[in-house]
Amino acid sequence: MVKELLDAYDVEDIKTMAAAHFWPHSRQAGDMSDETGIKLVVRGEGSYVQDAAGKQWFDLISGMWLKNAGHGRREIADAVYEQMLEISYTPGGSVSPVTARLAAKLASLSPDPDSRVYFCSGGAEAVETALKMSRKYHKNNGEPGRFKFIARRGSYHGATFMNMSLGGGSVASGSDYGPLMPYAVNIAQPGEYRCRLCRGMSACDLECARDLEIAIQNEGPSTVAAFIAEPISVASGVHVPHPEYWPTIREICDKYGVLLICDEVITGFGRTGKWFATEHWGIKPDIFTVAKALTSGYLPIGAAVAGKNVADAFIGDQASTFRHLITFGGNPPACAAGLANLEIMEREDLVGNSARLGEYLFDRAQSLFEHPIVGDVRGGLGLLVSLEFVKDRATKEKFSADANLMQLASAEMSKEGLLGRVMGDVMHLAPPLSTTRDELDELVEKVDRVIGAVEAQI
């Protein structure tokens, strides 16, 4: 296939077309140079992708935290092909067998096996669906005044306008896109390394969790529909919360009748060493969202998964119906990819592999503290680790923008054959769950050289 592609098109012609017409996500358009530009990749296998010149690149963050089963899985491609030959799209008022099977499979893996699954096309749609679902839930239960949402400052829940308002993340700049949507209230993020609430204390005092109760009381409990958060907030830099954080959050939500929405778009399907990250703390969300790794990125998919307590509120007369529509929600080929992907994950125990090798990667990453610019190494649950770079470790002072940290790191990563990114001052290490111990050793060695080269220049 790769040879056919390169025979059919001149690589330079493809680069010229991409430079002129392709608009990359969150990057300047037009640069397809070998030094600083977008890489033209043509195939993938396991933890690696290959560019048009034949060079191998290590996929540092599993595409975008989604290639959990790894690249090049013919079994998933075959399942999609066979499904397309049967039926590729179901008209309104119908459902395909594969969609029903994936819904049942996903429910069986969920904290509540009696859940109902509302399929959509991706993570942002899943979050938007969950938010609309929570408002309608309260209306069906006689509380139409519950319309506000509470989220954590710095969280990322997707790039649509409503989702940008849920904490901001890395895409919601008021100067670029503001004003953002109203009725979204932001509270503290449980990031102990820089927490403003427990700064100067020896350990977390759970004030970040109690910040939710303060916000609910300030807004008026009868106006709050839901609290939404990632079990481990990846966008803010992979902060694993205190063991009592999530049980405390669950208790507060129950106390005030606020729905708890957990965003498992990144943390779901084994990334943290459990099928879903909430399992680490034994809590059940009212709704949780998934996408990305449900198909290991082989086709777009997403879903809002509602526990029985929520889903049952939509059963009854026509007025209780959840009138919401996503064109490609439950798309049969995407669902076929999801089923094949989950079969691979179960057969090869990729969730267990994530738990075992995640611990190994976290331990190996401690060696990177030898570099003075490494201020913190975070993770410890599955293959989800981050490094935060600082100008001064003692004071945690950040690098200024003119230090060009991201640009320097990106250039050195390219030299080492690493495809990933430094977001602000944080580097993420999140390889596919199918990765091996030897590959992790190689990964840490390459990252070590990258940091050393950046230090020498900065």
Side-chain angles (χ1 to χ4, degrees), residues 59-112:
D59 188 353
L60 194 60
I61 56 171
S62 304
M64 196 175 286
W65 296 281
L66 54 70
K67 216 69 187 169
N68 286 16
H71 296 271
R73 292 285 191 166
R74 178 65 181 267
E75 184 177 336
I76 298 177
D78 287 344
V80 171
Y81 174 72
E82 292 299 327
Q83 182 59 48
M84 284 184 168
L85 292 179
E86 293 177 6
I87 188 164
S88 61
Y89 189 88
T90 50
S94 65
V95 65
S96 70
V98 71
T99 302
R101 286 200 295 269
L102 182 60
K105 181 64 178 178
L106 183 48
S108 73
L109 297 172
S110 301
D112 180 358

Side-chain angles (χ1 to χ4, degrees), residues 135 163 171-172 201 212 246 255 355 377 386 443 447:
R135 280 189 176 177
N163 293 351
V171 298
M201 304 183 69
L212 172 61
W246 277 109
K255 179 178 178 180
V377 177
S386 73
L443 168 62
V447 170

Side-chain angles (χ1 to χ4, degrees), residues 4 36 54 72 92 110 120 259 267 314 429:
E4 291 174 5
T36 61
S110 301
C120 52
L259 291 186
T267 57
F314 296 86
L429 312 181

